[in-house]
Amino acid sequence: MKQRTLGRGLTVSSLGLGCMGMSEFYGAGDEAESLATLHRALDLGVTFLDTADMYGPFTNERLVGKAIAGRRDEVVLATKFGIERDPDDHARRGVNGRPDYLRRACDASLQRLGVDHIDLYYQHRVDPDVPVEETWGALAELVAQGKVRHLGISEAAPGVVRRAHAVHPITAGQYEYSLFTRDPEDEIIATFRELGIGLVAYSPLGRGFLTGAITSADQFEAGDFRAANPRFQGENFAANRELVVQIERIAEDKGVTPAQLALAWVLAQGEDIVPIPGTKRRSYLEQNVAALDVALTAQELAALEKAAPRDAVAGERYPAASLPRITS
């Protein structure tokens, strides 16, 4: 398995695995298949696993912990804190960056994962009511205690990134990045490269749109959050589907799947960028891994830019009610 380095020293597989969908947000889960997928990922060398306490909530960390039992030394394990869900209504969420909260959250994650340290611990969302310096001061203590090896941040503005990084070096930032979501190109990528921070790209397949498998807005099963996602609704869906058709044609000419082409595009954006496509099936995992062998020429990159221009995607990437949590 090819490897890449995040920040100033965290070496990970060039492709990671996002585990969220195994427990929630993308329809019904299948624990047996999810465990088989996780084990297959490790066998293939995809050892950079991504989870969070809020996925499930809590159940995804337990699933990952079960999967890596006995294989901990093979894994670079990333999890997150900071999004609290109402125990009586999981759809209701808040953001918490208080030091006392994150200390408890870290201990709880260690227990659920069945490990004695977390390789990469992200602040999932920045709490607008708590100075980031306070949060990161407490995170630095976790590193000093050996509970956490590296620190990360997610969906934070460049100025916030700089403030956090001044307290303790950020190894990686996790942001949505794909042919369908180019926001990090505005300032984040340049800021990260200036500071020596790696970019972990979540949803590199446009939440499945770029696979070509989603051809109707009516095909989502119960519990799939994409049914309420603006990009998958009405006229937005139709416009975005047309973009995917153009990408499919380029993939066909190259002899790869649309998903492999989309992942190859992310990988081609820099050695400091690591995509973490999510899947809960072995067959898709294996297809994704094959993207590591897809090299894109300058002409192909230009064709993709023409087929899916930076501002062509229709619709916000989250429902309106969620946007404030990702723009702080």
Side-chain angles (χ1 to χ4, degrees), residues 81 102-103 106-107 110 116-123 135-152 164 167-172:
F81 77 93
L102 76 88
R103 294 184 189 105
C106 180
D107 287 342
L110 288 168
D116 62 4
H117 73 275
I118 295 163
D119 296 301
L120 178 58
Y121 199 38
Y122 292 102
Q123 182 174 11
T135 303
W136 278 68
L139 286 170
E141 292 174 5
L142 295 180
V143 175
Q145 294 165 6
K147 294 181 178 181
V148 173
R149 298 284 172 83
H150 295 266
L151 298 179
V167 177
H168 188 282
I170 298 174
T171 293

Side-chain angles (χ1 to χ4, degrees), residues 284-304:
Y284 293 144
L285 168 74
E286 291 166 355
Q287 289 180 41
N288 291 344
V289 171
L292 291 167
D293 296 322
V294 178
L296 299 179
T297 66
Q299 291 79 11
E300 289 164 340
L301 288 167
L304 283 168

Side-chain angles (χ1 to χ4, degrees), residues 68-309:
I68 67 173
R71 304 183 69 172
R72 175 66 179 98
D73 291 345
E74 301 175 42
V75 176
V76 176
L77 185 60
T79 191
K80 314 175 195 73
F81 77 93
I83 298 180
E84 285 188 292
R85 300 176 70 175
D86 188 326
D88 298 319
D89 180 3
H90 289 166
R92 294 179 59 190
R93 302 169 200 171
V95 178
N96 194 336
R98 296 194 306 272
D100 59 337
Y101 170 77
L102 76 88
R103 294 184 189 105
R104 295 195 306 272
C106 180
D107 287 342
S109 287
L110 288 168
Q111 183 176 28
R112 284 188 293 268
L113 290 162
V115 299
D116 62 4
H117 73 275
I118 295 163
D119 296 301
L120 178 58
Y121 199 38
Y122 292 102
Q123 182 174 11
H124 206 166
R125 295 292 184 267
V126 174
D127 187 341
D129 298 323
V130 178
V132 74
E133 290 84 357
E134 289 187 19
T135 303
W136 278 68
L139 286 170
E141 292 174 5
L142 295 180
V143 175
Q145 294 165 6
K147 294 181 178 181
V148 173
R149 298 284 172 83
H150 295 266
L151 298 179
I153 202 163
S154 182
E155 297 285 2
V160 176
V161 169
R162 292 182 184 278
R163 289 166 54 198
H165 190 71
V167 177
H168 188 282
I170 298 174
T171 293
Q174 188 173 127
Y175 292 70
E176 185 173 353
Y177 189 45
S178 71
L179 273 168
F180 263 23
T181 299
R182 307 280 287 276
D183 303 29
E185 294 174 3
D186 290 338
E187 295 182 74
I188 283 296
I189 291 177
T191 299
F192 279 13
R193 286 176 176 165
E194 175 192 340
L195 299 176
I197 300 170
L199 176 66
V200 175
Y202 77 84
S203 295
L205 297 176
R207 303 193 182 280
F209 225 143
L210 290 165
T211 67
I214 301 171
T215 58
S216 169
D218 300 322
Q219 71 187 77
F220 300 119
E221 61 181 278
D224 193 320
F225 93 104
R226 290 174 293 184
N229 186 295
R231 291 187 173 178
F232 293 88
Q233 295 180 328
E235 294 180 357
N236 289 345
F237 183 95
N240 293 334
R241 176 60 192 155
E242 284 302 310
L243 297 178
V244 174
V245 169
Q246 300 302 314
I247 294 168
E248 288 175 328
R249 290 172 181 161
I250 298 172
E252 184 176 5
D253 288 343
K254 192 169 180 63
V256 299
T257 69
Q260 289 166 344
L261 187 69
L263 288 173
W265 180 88
V266 176
L267 289 161
Q269 302 312 302
E271 289 290 323
D272 54 350
I273 298 175
V274 177
I276 52 167
T279 185
K280 49 188 176 182
R281 297 180 178 88
R282 283 168 286 180
S283 58
Y284 293 144
L285 168 74
E286 291 166 355
Q287 289 180 41
N288 291 344
V289 171
L292 291 167
D293 296 322
V294 178
L296 299 179
T297 66
Q299 291 79 11
E300 289 164 340
L301 288 167
L304 283 168
E305 188 70 33
K306 183 178 180 179

